[in-house]
Amino acid sequence: MQADKNINYMFPTSKKEVDALGWDYIDVIMFTGDAFIDHPSFGTAVISRWLQKFGYRVAVIPQPNWRDDLRDFRKLGAPRLFFGVNSGAMDSMVNHYTAAKRLRHDDAYTPEGKAGQRPDYAVTVYTKILKELYPDVPVIIGGIEASLRRLTHYDYWQDKLFPSILVSSGADYLSYGMGERTILQLAKGIENGWSIHKMRQIPQIGFYSKGAAPEGEGILKLHSFEECLSSKKAFAENFHLIETHANMLHPDTIVEAVGNGYVQINPTWPPATQEEMDSFWDVPYTKLPHPRYKGKRIPAYDMIKYSINTHRGCFGGCNFCTIAAHQGKFIQSRSEESILKEVKGLTSLPGFAGNISDLGAPTANMYGMGGKDPKLCAICRRKSCLFPAPCKNLDRDHTRLLNLYHRVDAVKGINHSYIGSGIRYDLFLSEDGYVDNSSKQYLKELILDHTSGRLKVAPEHTEDKVLYYLAKPSFRLFERLRKEFDAITAKAGRRTGIVPYFISSHPGCTMHDMELLARHPALRGLYMDQVQDFTPTPMTTSSVMFYTGLDPRTLKSVFVERDPEKKRLQKSYFFKRNDNPAQKSKKH
């Protein structure tokens, strides 16, 4: 392998493009369900650029046609090392279907928003095709769909349990979570002919093996897939253990028997250091769609092209969210210098008018945060650092983040840096007031300097009983937020609004709870256009509750609304309020 001297090229997607580069071999061929955009918000670009940094030649086949003679799967032949497969930035089933299981009519990750350009269960479909055409070439699966289906999981669209995607797809290895370090080790191992035993020691991978599952110290043995099929309690117990270890700094190796073999999930890498995080971004992204899409609009790109990602991870622990299961609970932040370098690069992008659409992450205001005493974090088994109450060891100081905002806004060519990502207001507010000296200043600057239009926050519900099952703080905290928000905007003479996100039909939520939400006085005058019906997605506490009727944390019964018509009626309560004339005229 010889590193290319000039790596600023766009990755080839066709035989013609490969020939134009003068390549006589390809190390890795990536198959993805999305259009290919060379931007750090898209996993295919992240992994491709990272492998390229170490001298590997990578080609990408975006949205291959799986319904014809499979020419897209044949056109570049076999790679020297392996095929990489992902479904795109979303699980393909979430991408395709609404909470009511109706087929969506558009796809934001496809040119012109055209629907139907990837199959249901895309990772499995692509992998099966590749294993049939090239049985001796390793296939490594990753991304959201593979990562969150790595063990037995509930599939809402077929309303049944599925085994690990390793079993259904036939893939050789699964890289779960954020994959830079994992994919590089896998590439090196395959290239250097490591033994199967050595390959299977790589952190943060999964694989399927025939025979009896290993036992011993450091190995967490789950109920088998077959036991989960016959017992919902066994499935709930499994998930509680999986989730606990997914949020530990030093988790065990997880094994789960299935059929005449077992799936093994190795522990994660340690959280990336600041230096490692910086290195992940220190690659030559063009931040543009592939030239093959010239003249075509890709809606998802419009949303993120002028955004900056500051960190990874989330310690919020919401029961319906998969961020921690994929990115981890521990915050991994980039340095201010790395972020500023990327900000300065935005000024040379076509069409950039000086406005950063999002300076954030899964939760924007967790940048630089962590435990005051790392030793306590190392032995912690809490899923959330914020629920049911903020951890006393958590440092919630926003000073570093405020300084970052100031430095970004001082860059020549930057007019505004907006926060489009979600924020956790329980990081700077309690029911009694502000948490510390940095809190009030943060909220003030967030509202006045970094909010474009309306501030969006996510209380999710008004009733504490439902919020318990969501793992969200009391709605009284939102009431406090609105009081502070109104005071800040009134003093500044701003006509800025606040928009709350809500969920209906979540486990534990009854029709009466929705009636109470609709009548809640704290919501008077607010638009209710950021609402959704609960969709059970793989590897969340909420989806386990939906399937089993049990809270996996306690194994106690929980009410679940499964009737489609009653779910529709629950959602309708968002639009039954009569206090806001503007609300009446909105179409939903």
Side-chain angles (χ1 to χ4, degrees):
M1 178 187 68
Q2 184 177 357
D4 291 299
K5 294 180 181 179
N6 178 14
I7 62 171
N8 289 307
Y9 58 78
M10 182 65 87
F11 295 95
T13 63
S14 67
K15 183 66 167 60
K16 182 179 179 181
E17 291 166 4
V18 170
D19 292 341
L21 289 170
W23 289 1
D24 55 355
Y25 66 87
I26 303 169
D27 291 308
V28 177
I29 301 176
M30 302 285 291
F31 283 81
T32 178
D34 285 346
F36 182 61
I37 300 171
D38 187 31
H39 190 287
S41 292
F42 297 92
T44 303
V46 170
I47 295 303
S48 299
R49 285 292 181 194
W50 185 248
L51 286 171
Q52 182 195 58
K53 182 175 183 174
F54 292 88
Y56 294 104
R57 292 178 175 179
V58 181
V60 179
I61 307 296
Q63 300 188 313
N65 191 336
W66 74 101
R67 292 172 288 202
D68 60 4
D69 60 1
L70 307 182
R71 66 188 65 183
D72 283 344
F73 293 86
R74 304 174 191 269
K75 64 183 180 182
L76 298 185
R80 188 171 70 94
L81 299 179
F82 64 86
F83 290 109
V85 172
N86 67 66
S87 68
M90 296 174 66
D91 184 286
S92 56
M93 301 306 287
V94 178
N95 178 278
H96 282 172
Y97 299 96
T98 68
K101 300 185 181 181
R102 295 191 181 96
L103 194 64
R104 299 186 192 274
H105 299 298
D106 57 5
D107 182 346
Y109 297 89
T110 299
E112 306 300 345
K114 185 178 179 181
Q117 300 307 295
R118 82 191 79 208
D120 287 358
Y121 308 105
V123 170
T124 295
V125 172
Y126 294 161
T127 302
K128 283 185 171 180
I129 291 171
L130 291 169
K131 293 306 289 186
E132 183 175 338
L133 294 176
Y134 309 98
D136 298 325
V137 179
V139 176
I140 300 172
I141 57 177
I144 291 290
E145 183 166 311
S147 182
L148 302 180
R149 294 174 180 263
R150 57 188 184 257
L151 290 158
T152 297
H153 56 279
Y154 172 64
D155 185 84
Y156 172 64
W157 299 272
Q158 293 195 36
D159 191 27
K160 67 179 184 180
L161 292 188
F162 280 13
S164 165
I165 195 169
L166 282 159
V167 176
S168 58
S169 70
D172 297 273
Y173 297 102
L174 186 157
S175 170
Y176 71 93
M178 309 308 280
E180 290 97 341
R181 290 173 287 182
T182 305
I183 204 71
L184 183 59
Q185 286 297 301
L186 285 165
K188 288 180 176 179
I190 294 170
E191 182 176 34
N192 295 320
W194 289 1
S195 67
I196 291 179
H197 175 75
K198 187 174 181 180
M199 290 290 292
R200 289 180 173 180
Q201 304 305 307
I202 295 173
Q204 214 161 310
I205 67 164
F207 58 85
Y208 173 75
S209 181
K210 292 184 178 179
E215 298 185 38
E217 186 177 352
I219 293 178
L220 173 64
K221 190 173 183 180
L222 302 176
H223 296 295
S224 69
F225 168 65
E226 289 76 16
E227 288 177 284
C228 291
L229 285 179
S230 62
S231 168
K232 291 184 175 181
K233 181 181 177 184
F235 176 59
E237 288 175 339
N238 267 14
F239 181 80
H240 179 65
L241 291 170
I242 294 166
E243 185 172 52
T244 298
H245 282 257
N247 287 290
M248 288 169 56
L249 192 60
H250 304 292
D252 289 340
T253 297
I254 296 176
V255 296
E256 182 184 62
V258 51
N260 61 353
Y262 64 94
V263 169
Q264 179 169 317
I265 304 296
N266 288 350
T268 55
W269 295 91
T273 64
Q274 180 174 284
E275 291 72 26
E276 286 174 320
M277 286 290 288
D278 287 356
S279 72
F280 299 156
W281 268 263
D282 189 22
V283 293
Y285 293 110
T286 64
K287 290 202 167 182
L288 298 171
H290 194 279
R292 66 187 281 147
Y293 307 119
K294 186 177 181 180
K296 295 182 179 180
R297 174 178 174 263
I298 303 172
Y301 175 63
D302 289 346
M303 293 184 282
I304 59 84
K305 59 184 174 181
Y306 303 134
S307 66
I308 301 284
N309 197 302
T310 58
H311 61 281
R312 291 175 177 173
C314 181
F315 50 72
C318 300
N319 282 343
F320 52 89
C321 181
T322 59
I323 291 170
H326 187 67
Q327 294 196 13
K329 179 177 77 171
F330 299 95
I331 302 304
Q332 302 150 79
S333 299
R334 300 168 61 188
S335 70
E336 287 84 346
E337 286 67 30
S338 172
I339 294 167
L340 288 168
K341 180 181 177 181
E342 186 178 359
V343 169
K344 292 171 184 175
L346 284 179
T347 60
S348 62
L349 276 181
F352 183 67
N355 300 318
I356 298 173
S357 60
D358 184 19
L359 183 64
T363 301
N365 61 324
M366 288 184 182
Y367 177 74
M369 291 187 179
K372 299 172 186 175
D373 182 353
K375 293 180 180 178
L376 295 179
C377 295
I379 59 174
C380 179
R381 297 173 70 91
R382 280 182 61 160
K383 170 189 172 182
S384 170
C385 302
L386 292 173
F387 183 85
C391 175
K392 294 180 179 179
N393 188 47
L394 178 63
D395 183 358
R396 292 186 273 175
D397 192 332
H398 284 69
T399 302
R400 182 181 175 187
L401 184 55
L402 284 168
N403 289 336
L404 174 65
Y405 290 170
H406 300 160
R407 292 185 69 183
V408 168
D409 290 345
V411 172
K412 185 178 180 180
I414 300 300
N415 299 324
H416 299 285
S417 58
Y418 296 117
I419 312 304
S421 312
I423 61 160
R424 286 291 298 237
Y425 47 85
D426 46 353
L427 282 173
F428 53 79
L429 272 182
S430 70
E431 291 178 30
D432 298 323
Y434 291 102
V435 168
D436 60 21
N437 293 332
S438 68
S439 296
K440 185 173 184 177
Q441 188 62 27
Y442 177 77
L443 180 58
K444 180 181 177 181
E445 292 193 22
L446 173 70
I447 295 169
L448 300 182
D449 301 333
H450 303 287
T451 297
S452 176
R454 298 175 291 174
L455 178 66
K456 296 177 181 178
V457 293
E460 308 297 0
H461 212 283
T462 59
E463 305 310 298
D464 284 350
K465 175 176 68 70
V466 181
L467 289 165
Y468 167 78
Y469 291 112
L470 287 155
K472 296 285 286 187
S474 171
F475 189 69
R476 290 187 296 275
L477 197 58
F478 173 81
E479 296 178 69
R480 181 74 196 208
L481 173 69
R482 188 174 183 190
K483 177 182 177 182
E484 300 296 341
F485 178 91
D486 289 345
I488 290 170
T489 53
K491 186 175 181 179
R494 290 286 185 89
R495 296 176 61 86
T496 306
I498 189 168
V499 180
Y501 283 74
F502 287 103
I503 294 177
S504 59
S505 301
H506 187 275
C509 181
T510 64
M511 204 73 73
H512 180 60
D513 293 318
M514 294 305 298
E515 292 175 9
L516 294 174
L517 183 152
R519 296 201 304 264
H520 204 290
L523 298 179
R524 287 174 184 160
L526 297 183
Y527 285 102
M528 299 287 280
D529 57 352
Q530 299 293 327
V531 298
Q532 62 179 325
D533 193 29
F534 170 65
T535 303
T537 57
M539 210 168 175
T540 68
T541 299
S542 299
S543 65
V544 174
M545 289 183 196
F546 182 88
Y547 170 70
T548 64
L550 301 171
D551 184 340
R553 300 169 295 184
T554 63
L555 295 181
K556 293 182 179 179
S557 296
V558 55
F559 169 76
V560 178
E561 184 57 81
R562 295 188 180 89
D563 183 274
E565 178 58 21
K566 291 181 179 179
K567 283 169 66 69
R568 188 192 66 78
L569 288 173
Q570 278 208 23
K571 187 175 181 181
S572 72
Y573 273 98
F574 289 130
F575 315 117
K576 290 185 177 181
R577 296 157 55 249
N578 298 312
D579 59 279
N580 189 342
Q583 183 73 34
K584 294 179 183 179
S585 65
K586 277 188 80 71
K587 293 182 179 179
H588 297 281

